[in-house]
Amino acid sequence: MLNTEVGQERSPENSRPEGQGVVDCGLYVDGVRQSEQVGYAEALEAARKQPGALVWLGVHEPSEAEMAGIAAAYGLHELAVEDAVKAEQRPKLERFGEVDFLVLRTVRYVRHGELTETSEVIETGQMMLFIGPNFVVTVRHGDACRLAPVRSELEARQEILRQGPWAVAYAVMDRVVDIYLEVTDRVGDDLDVLEAEVFARQAHGRIQRIYQMKRELVEFKRAVVPLQRPMMTLTAQVNREVPKEIRKYFRDVQDHLARTVEQVNSYDDLLNSILQARLAQVTVDQNNDMRKIAAWAAIAAVWTAIAGIYGMNFDFMPETGWKYGYPVVLALMLVISLGLYRWFRRNRWL
């Protein structure tokens, strides 16, 4: 799902001409796609004339001109259209007249051989859905979640597609949340590796890598956590816009989302613990280094102190006229240094 498969390479989303925002436009009657190819304006006009018909228009990174044409044909509100073009919104659900505007954040796990200070782990995008009485317009930004497989699977489940536009919204949200679960599993594997490196006997985990992983996890949380509120609205019993049969499917998606949120929060707590542990290890290593430096400085101080005393060149000093004075002083400095070295070793300073 997260990789580029052969079937996806041949999908319309990848073979469309550059600059053409409309990916696919399907007219469905009683859950069955009609074979004739028509424009999105003509498809909507035909859907309004037939009971049980709907139009699913798929758009990928449209320009302002392309989105303006779609908005004029489908009666979309200008504020929602502006959000769909800029794609800088957090997950939300709004209603403009008879059209519901649903915003999702899509994610994708980026494969990497080794986690570094600049590794990209989570790639995000956006998905906007305009859900009207007899149409659904999906606007996709980025390649984190492609909709060609979703359309194919939903066309094979005609009993769900007959439920109307909200069936399409369910299928899209289900795919997005399923990818959330897959990404959490992959991120969990990365955290296991990071944790093993930090708590290894010879710890070598760099703090920058932990911070990088935390930044990626924060980006993931921004996509997952805010979606809970729109999901609660969709599954509420008082919601009369979503058909009762489809609300049951939305509750299943809500369960998967709740599981994802729990895992992401637990990963955040685990990453904070790993970071604190690594900071404590760095502090301990620094203290050990300072003790070693202090121990060697104490040993060197013995030589400096004795040599300094006998270097003052006074006329009357003990042992200055003694034949064995020089070797005895050297031996004394060596014995004191060896004694200090053994004492520091016994106390694990060296």
Side-chain angles (χ1 to χ4, degrees):
M1 184 183 302
L2 299 179
N3 299 330
T4 303
E5 305 293 344
V6 176
Q8 291 178 338
E9 293 177 354
R10 297 177 181 176
S11 67
E13 298 184 18
N14 299 304
S15 59
R16 65 185 178 88
E18 184 178 358
Q20 182 179 342
V22 176
V23 175
D24 194 3
C25 179
L27 173 62
Y28 301 87
V29 179
D30 291 331
V32 180
R33 179 164 183 165
Q34 306 304 297
S35 58
E36 62 270 12
Q37 296 292 331
V38 294
Y40 57 79
E42 293 80 4
L44 179 61
E45 184 179 353
R48 288 172 174 170
K49 296 178 180 179
Q50 303 181 60
L54 69 91
V55 177
W56 181 359
L57 175 62
V59 186
H60 180 227
E61 298 181 354
S63 64
E64 293 184 5
E66 290 171 331
M67 203 63 206
I70 296 173
Y74 285 75
L76 308 180
H77 196 276
E78 59 180 354
L79 294 178
V81 172
E82 181 181 359
D83 291 343
V85 174
K86 292 184 177 180
E88 298 175 352
Q89 300 297 312
R90 69 196 306 268
K92 63 180 181 178
L93 176 62
E94 296 180 339
R95 186 167 181 82
F96 298 93
E98 294 185 343
V99 179
D100 289 281
F101 180 56
L102 177 63
V103 179
L104 308 173
R105 294 289 297 274
T106 58
V107 300
R108 179 171 63 177
Y109 179 82
V110 180
R111 294 182 179 273
H112 50 273
E114 181 182 1
L115 182 64
T116 64
E117 291 83 354
T118 58
S119 295
E120 183 181 10
V121 180
I122 304 295
E123 177 186 344
T124 60
Q126 284 212 321
M127 186 86 66
M128 289 85 164
L129 289 84
F130 295 89
I131 307 164
N134 43 25
F135 68 86
V136 176
V137 179
T138 55
V139 182
R140 182 172 63 88
H141 290 265
D143 293 326
C145 178
R146 299 181 177 179
L147 295 181
V150 179
R151 188 184 290 266
S152 299
E153 293 175 5
L154 191 60
E155 288 175 356
R157 305 172 65 184
Q158 298 179 7
E159 69 282 358
I160 297 180
L161 193 53
R162 289 193 188 99
Q163 299 296 325
W166 284 104
V168 178
Y170 151 72
V172 173
M173 294 189 70
D174 184 53
R175 175 57 59 90
V176 171
V177 175
D178 283 347
I179 297 179
Y180 288 170
L181 290 174
E182 293 191 9
V183 173
T184 54
D185 292 339
R186 302 290 181 86
V187 171
D189 294 339
D190 283 341
L191 288 179
D192 291 340
V193 174
L194 196 61
E195 184 180 17
E197 292 178 353
V198 169
F199 291 100
R201 184 178 297 273
Q202 299 294 332
H204 59 278
R206 294 176 58 85
I207 294 181
Q208 292 86 345
R209 297 167 59 188
I210 303 176
Y211 274 116
Q212 174 64 17
M213 192 65 191
K214 190 168 182 61
R215 283 196 297 266
E216 296 294 314
L217 193 61
V218 167
E219 185 176 2
F220 191 19
K221 289 183 66 175
R222 289 174 180 171
V224 174
V225 175
L227 186 57
Q228 295 180 100
R229 186 172 181 179
M231 187 62 71
M232 292 177 61
T233 303
L234 293 176
T235 56
Q237 294 292 336
V238 296
N239 191 334
R240 302 303 178 188
E241 302 298 329
V242 182
K244 183 177 180 181
E245 291 296 323
I246 297 299
R247 281 205 302 269
K248 295 188 295 185
Y249 290 97
F250 273 119
R251 281 193 288 270
D252 180 68
V253 178
Q254 185 180 31
D255 292 339
H256 292 172
L257 179 63
R259 176 180 152 194
T260 302
V261 172
E262 291 175 359
Q263 288 182 317
V264 171
N265 289 333
S266 65
Y267 289 162
D268 193 22
D269 294 338
L270 176 60
L271 200 55
N272 288 333
S273 300
I274 294 175
L275 179 59
Q276 294 300 323
R278 185 57 188 144
L279 291 174
Q281 288 176 343
V282 170
T283 303
V284 171
D285 292 340
Q286 290 176 344
N287 290 337
N288 291 335
D289 293 338
M290 291 301 298
R291 288 196 302 179
K292 290 179 181 179
I293 295 173
W296 286 113
I299 295 173
V302 174
W303 294 70
T304 303
I306 296 177
I309 291 174
Y310 280 92
M312 290 187 293
N313 296 322
F314 288 115
D315 291 335
F316 301 99
M317 292 185 67
E319 319 302 341
T320 55
W322 186 30
K323 178 180 179 180
Y324 302 103
Y326 179 70
V328 168
V329 170
L330 289 179
L332 178 63
M333 290 190 292
L334 183 61
V335 169
I336 296 175
S337 298
L338 290 176
L340 288 175
Y341 179 79
R342 291 192 60 184
W343 186 83
F344 286 132
R345 289 281 293 181
R346 186 181 302 114
N347 289 275
R348 297 182 180 181
W349 279 49
L350 292 174

